[in-house]
Amino acid sequence: VRWQHPSLGIIRPDMFIPLAESNHLIIPIGEQVLAQACVLTKRLIEEGLFFGRISVNVSGKQFERPDVVETINRIINECGVGHQYVELEITESVLMSNPKALGEKLIALKRLGIEVAIDDFGTGYSSLSYLKTFPIDKLKIDQSFVRGIDGDEQDRAIVKAIIAMADALRIKTIAEGIEETAQALLLKEYGCQQGQGYMYARPLSEEKFVEFLKYNEISKS
């Protein structure tokens, strides 16, 4: 998400999201982002350009609301996209702030067919017991570990451990912040199933994302 300011131009999320979190504007922003993502996903599926899941961040303020599952379900239904095409990302710190209550919400989302990914995994201090207790579908390996994977033995050890643990628990892994081919090759060698980062694409507008999908479809043919 980007803020298109009339005089300042495009403002990055790290500049305005903390403010939106503090004044609770993140709640309507988060709902609008989910709705726009679902509408775009439905259109891309109908045009035969996209068949995967669209992943959307959910803030702690959103996830703490008692009606968050109902709200997410309503937005997805109103947009007309199948729940199987939606993945939600929450951070470890959010989940561990109230694991019992938030864990029940994860279970409710799972019943709807929505997948859940833990974002920035490995950066927070938490009990790993939630991985076996709650229906987690994916761990996102934080880019701080990926960045040094081809030159730092400790980063390599941490990434290998996360992938091995996730694999044993039948949880998928995705690495964040991949910028170089060497990083991607090592991650693939270690068994990481998915990756994201500037090596694949920079953040894209809706129009540029559609062009990206069309180009890659042509490249594969």
Side-chain angles (χ1 to χ4, degrees), residues 27-188:
I27 294 170
I29 290 174
E31 292 177 4
Q32 182 66 22
V33 167
L34 176 61
Q36 289 185 357
C38 288
V39 168
L40 174 61
T41 300
K42 183 174 185 291
R43 179 165 68 84
L44 295 176
I45 291 169
E46 290 173 345
E47 293 176 3
L49 291 172
F50 185 78
F51 304 98
R53 288 179 180 268
I54 197 78
S55 192
V56 182
N57 291 94
V58 179
S59 78
K61 300 294 184 185
Q62 284 178 275
F63 211 70
E64 289 165 2
R65 291 173 64 88
D67 62 344
V68 64
V69 175
E70 292 79 6
T71 299
I72 289 170
N73 189 37
R74 173 183 56 78
I75 292 172
I76 294 173
N77 286 333
E78 287 176 351
C79 296
V81 69
H83 291 71
Q84 71 271 23
Y85 297 109
V86 180
E87 176 180 289
L88 302 177
E89 296 182 16
I90 63 171
T91 62
E92 264 187 311
S93 57
V94 168
L95 179 59
M96 297 313 297
S97 65
N98 190 346
K100 185 177 186 300
L102 302 187
E104 290 173 355
K105 294 174 184 177
L106 293 184
I107 293 170
L109 291 170
K110 187 68 174 179
R111 290 197 187 110
L112 294 172
I114 301 169
E115 288 201 352
V116 175
I118 300 300
D119 198 12
D120 302 332
F121 183 77
T123 60
Y125 177 75
S126 63
S127 167
L128 294 176
S129 62
Y130 73 85
L131 293 178
K132 70 173 185 178
T133 307
F134 304 133
I136 305 298
D137 298 285
K138 186 182 296 182
L139 300 182
K140 301 193 71 178
I141 304 171
D142 189 71
Q143 61 182 338
S144 62
F145 305 124
V146 174
R147 194 177 297 122
I149 194 174
D150 57 341
D152 189 293
E153 290 185 9
Q154 290 184 324
D155 283 338
R156 281 200 296 273
I158 290 171
V159 169
K160 284 181 179 180
I162 292 173
I163 294 170
M165 178 184 64
D167 188 52
L169 294 170
R170 297 182 181 179
I171 299 175
K172 290 174 284 189
T173 48
I174 177 169
E176 301 176 311
I178 300 175
E179 297 185 359
E180 300 172 2
T181 303
Q183 295 169 336
L185 292 174
L186 278 173
L187 287 160
K188 187 175 181 180

Side-chain angles (χ1 to χ4, degrees), residues 194-210:
Q194 297 179 340
Q196 68 180 62
Y198 285 177
M199 193 188 90
Y200 305 107
R202 296 259 172 177
L204 301 170
S205 65
E206 179 178 325
E207 180 183 353
K208 293 293 184 183
F209 180 54
V210 173

Side-chain angles (χ1 to χ4, degrees), residues 7 9 23 41 90 192 217:
S7 58
N23 62 21
T41 300
I90 63 171
C192 186
E217 196 60 37

